[in-house]
Amino acid sequence: HPPHPQLPTEHPFPNLPITNTMITAWISILVLFGLFFAATRKMKLVPSGLQNFVEFIYETAANFIEDPAGKEHGRWFFPICTTIFLFVLANAWINLLPGFETIKMNGEPLLRNANTDMNVPLMLAVVSFISVEYWGFKAKGARYLETFFNFKPLGLGFKHLFTGKIKAGFGGIFNGIILAFAGILEILSHFIRMVSFTFRLFGNMLAGAILTLIMIFLIPWVIPSIFYGLEAFFGFVQAMI
């Protein structure tokens, strides 16, 4: 008879440190969905209870966004900005629940703060980048490209130079070179924002989680409670940023 096939002995969940953050992210999504579904399932003209709380969140977020952006543009920004804020905040606060990371599978925590996984902040940064460029084209059309590629002063300077206006020509060329260089910097700044958004959220959330964990082991009860409060506050601040 042929030998019995050997059962695989390798780790059945080789990517568990990544998948556990996916589980947490989905828990955050389901919690938010359940909250807003329950609040809007039987809406009343005069809100009360959970509907009143959700409408307070809506009005506060709308006013916060519309204040600097204006009402028209605020309506554009509101869905993406508020969704990112609530998602980041839910991930941060769910992580503070007692026993959150104590459930383990194969020696690894089954749940982990999704904000401490580089993939999640990077995903949010990419969504923000795409949204900003979309809103730029939506607001200005093709003229939005002039933010990065504004060669009109440079061309006008050469035109002045070839028509005998030496002083105006060299001045226009000099200003055109400066604007062209500024456009390159603007392109770089838009891409660098993705890096800064990613590492700011990832670094602050990871540092906070590590600090809270260390305090729990070193000085239980009183001091960790202070750091829990600080971590909840910093999670709110990071979500706003």
Side-chain angles (χ1 to χ4, degrees):
H1 298 284
H4 294 289
Q6 294 292 326
L7 293 176
T9 57
E10 61 182 8
H11 199 297
F13 300 97
N15 296 321
L16 189 57
I18 293 179
T19 57
N20 54 15
T21 56
M22 291 178 60
I23 295 174
T24 305
W26 276 107
I27 292 175
S28 298
I29 293 171
L30 292 175
V31 167
L32 292 173
F33 176 81
L35 172 65
F36 282 87
F37 177 78
T40 58
R41 188 166 56 93
K42 295 181 179 179
M43 297 184 66
K44 300 177 181 178
L45 185 61
V46 180
S48 62
L50 193 58
Q51 180 185 343
N52 194 39
F53 173 69
V54 168
E55 288 193 8
F56 169 76
I57 295 176
Y58 174 87
E59 292 177 1
T60 303
N63 292 333
F64 182 81
I65 295 171
E66 290 177 2
D67 186 43
K71 192 167 185 178
E72 179 185 358
H73 292 161
R75 292 178 182 272
W76 297 356
F77 307 156
F78 178 81
I80 297 294
C81 294
T82 307
T83 300
I84 292 177
F85 168 76
L86 292 174
F87 179 67
V88 172
L89 185 63
N91 287 333
W93 283 4
I94 285 177
N95 182 60
L96 299 178
L97 294 176
F100 183 80
E101 295 188 2
T102 59
I103 304 174
K104 295 187 176 182
M105 180 179 294
N106 299 311
E108 295 286 347
L110 183 61
L111 302 173
R112 185 161 63 91
N113 187 347
N115 296 333
T116 61
D117 181 359
M118 182 75 75
N119 297 285
V120 174
L122 178 60
M123 174 270 297
L124 296 176
V126 171
V127 170
S128 300
F129 172 82
I130 295 174
S131 300
V132 167
E133 306 311 320
Y134 168 74
W135 290 326
F137 280 106
K138 184 176 181 180
K140 295 185 176 182
R143 290 188 301 109
Y144 179 63
L145 292 174
E146 294 180 3
T147 306
F148 314 106
F149 310 103
N150 188 5
F151 299 117
K152 289 182 179 179
L154 187 62
L156 188 61
F158 280 110
K159 181 179 178 181
H160 286 317
L161 188 64
F162 290 137
T163 55
K165 300 177 182 178
I166 306 299
K167 184 176 180 180
F170 280 112
I173 292 173
F174 179 74
N175 290 332
I177 292 174
I178 292 177
L179 289 176
F181 182 69
I184 295 174
L185 294 180
E186 189 68 22
I187 294 173
L188 292 176
S189 71
H190 279 236
F191 283 99
I192 290 173
R193 284 176 199 167
M194 285 196 292
V195 179
S196 64
F197 287 165
T198 301
F199 282 97
R200 182 190 293 121
L201 178 59
F202 168 75
N204 287 327
M205 290 291 95
L206 182 61
I210 293 174
L211 181 61
T212 303
L213 187 62
I214 291 175
M215 289 297 112
I216 289 176
F217 279 99
L218 293 181
I219 315 174
W221 300 111
V222 179
I223 300 298
S225 300
I226 298 175
F227 280 93
Y228 258 71
L230 289 175
E231 186 65 12
F233 173 72
F234 289 145
F236 177 80
V237 172
Q238 286 302 312
M240 288 188 65
I241 292 175

